[in-house]
Amino acid sequence: MDVTANGRALELALAETPDYNSLEARDRAFARAIAATVFRRSGQIKAVLKPLVRKAPTAPVKAVLQTAVAQIVFMDVSPHAAVSETVDVLKSSKSTLGFANFANAVLRRVVEQGKHTAAATPPKANIPGWIRGEWERAYGKIPMTKIAVQLIKDPVLDVSVSHTHAGLGRQDMAEATGGTPIGRQTLRLGSIGDVTALPGFEEGSWWAQDLAAALPAQILMDQFEALDGVRVLDMCAAPGGKTMQLASAGMEVTAVDKSSGRLKRLKENLARTKLPATVVQSDALEYDAEPFQAVLLDAPCTATGTFRRHPDVLHNRNPKSVADLVRLQDKLLPKAATLTAPGGVLIYAVCSLQPDEGMPRVTKFLEATPDFSLIPITSLPGLDLPEDRFDGGVVRTLPCDLAKSGGLDGFFIAALRRAA
Ligand SMILES: C[S@@+](CC[C@H](N)C(=O)[O-])C[C@H]1O[C@@H](n2cnc3c(N)ncnc32)[C@H](O)[C@@H]1O
């Protein structure tokens, strides 16, 4: 409820819930899986409940019913156990006690017919209408349907393997984990479990990073013949996935971020991977330094492109949050420009599928800043993406790309150069 009503991220909402924190690790993982399934399957769950619930119950009762449907229809949970646990939960509070019998009756019907109703409801019903509209207009109806299929699949785990570690390279990691090398430095692993238990974690040989999230830094690095000692600013850097890529390639990285909590994670990541970077806590809009040969602006965005691992992003955003972020992106891009040295490279990236956060930001910036021009990108070595992902000389990945191997995050990436 905190996610939909207050726009909180599911991870944060859970982390600040005392009942959740008091659970054993295994039960916490189960509770998180139920919550994620509620968001992943929101439209199908609604379709299952609609014919059975004539009058809308209170918000807490509705939320409890949704978690029950998630378990009964979509998870490997005994239906009997899910019904009786749910009824017990409702009985445990005075405000919901009166709904226990009602829920019992509804959920028995869900056990009988829920799977059938869910199967008859297309996956695109799980995507909120306003987002579906924007994606259909931007990417077309068929890609939209394929994108929706990625939402109901279990996400894969991608890790980026450090360039600096002679010990556990990508091939060693592949052999040790059964993972598949994909792209330039990514290893794709079957499903997300306890990442800290994977070989090479303690040694800092890799960090979790979606294949698409590794592209902006790779595109930046492609613009240089030699990387050693090149000064680069990672302007919105935490938790540091891209900082680690740049540092592990030998670049001299300054990592700026506004959030102290997220910078703490960045510092932990750098310590674990034994990679160097100058870390600065600052609002990027107020940060000043001698201009850099390269600036990476991985801008704050709606992050709707990350829905495979974070299905809640489709439910805690709205058109106003897009507009607010667009305003910030329109300030950050010119600021990034002032920090880019003449002849230098500026990369703008967002992990968003909302069209407004992509090309229109770059077009507006280029119109206002004549000493910058687009460096057209027409393909990415090692990645077999459809030609139209490079329309306009920029990169637009869709979650349905490379679908057979697990898809990838939706990113928009543009490379720009300042005149010398
Ligand atoms: C997309 S995330 C960055 C992810 C990171 N580049 C990575 O690869 O791990 C955006 C970041 O922008 C930061 N941020 C938001 N507004 C900012 C601002 N005005 N100045 C600096 N950082 C900001 C957020 O704290 C967040 O860490």
Side-chain angles (χ1 to χ4, degrees), residues 209 234-242 256-259 262 282-285 298-300 328 332 351:
Q209 183 175 46
D234 190 355
M235 207 168 147
C236 293
K242 298 172 188 69
V256 171
D257 204 283
K258 191 172 148 172
S259 155
R262 289 174 66 95
S282 170
D283 184 330
L285 294 171
D298 187 23
L328 179 57
L332 285 166
C351 55

Side-chain angles (χ1 to χ4, degrees), residues 2 8 22 52 82 88 93 96-97 109 131 157 190 218 229 237 246 255 283 303 324 351 364 368 370:
D2 199 16
R8 316 261 345 259
S22 66
L52 308 177
D88 286 350
S93 158
T96 53
L97 174 66
R109 301 277 305 277
I131 294 184
L157 171 67
Q218 286 167 358
L246 300 166
D283 184 330
D324 290 346
C351 55
K364 184 171 172 177

Side-chain angles (χ1 to χ4, degrees), residues 17 30 51 65 69-70 145 174 216 258 260 264 347 382 396:
T17 303
F30 180 56
L65 286 176
V69 177
T145 308
K258 191 172 148 172
S260 59
K264 185 168 171 273
I347 303 289
R396 153 60 67 207

Side-chain angles (χ1 to χ4, degrees), residues 38-46 121-136 139 141-152 304 307-308 311 313-315 353-354 399:
V38 167
F39 294 117
R40 226 175 258 297
R41 300 284 190 164
S42 63
Q44 289 169 303
I45 291 175
K46 194 171 166 195
T121 307
K124 70 177 182 181
N126 296 317
I127 296 174
W130 72 275
I131 294 184
R132 203 158 67 212
E134 289 197 2
W135 292 358
E136 269 182 8
Y139 313 121
K141 283 201 167 177
I142 293 174
M144 165 65 221
T145 308
K146 291 183 181 166
I147 290 173
V149 170
Q150 290 302 315
L151 176 59
I152 60 172
T304 50
F307 69 71
R308 286 151 58 248
V313 293
L314 303 181
H315 298 272
L353 284 164
Q354 304 322 115

Side-chain angles (χ1 to χ4, degrees), residues 258-276:
K258 191 172 148 172
S259 155
S260 59
R262 289 174 66 95
L263 276 179
K264 185 168 171 273
R265 283 176 55 206
L266 178 142
K267 286 179 191 159
E268 286 164 3
N269 278 330
L270 288 174
R272 183 178 61 82
T273 53
K274 302 172 194 73
L275 291 169

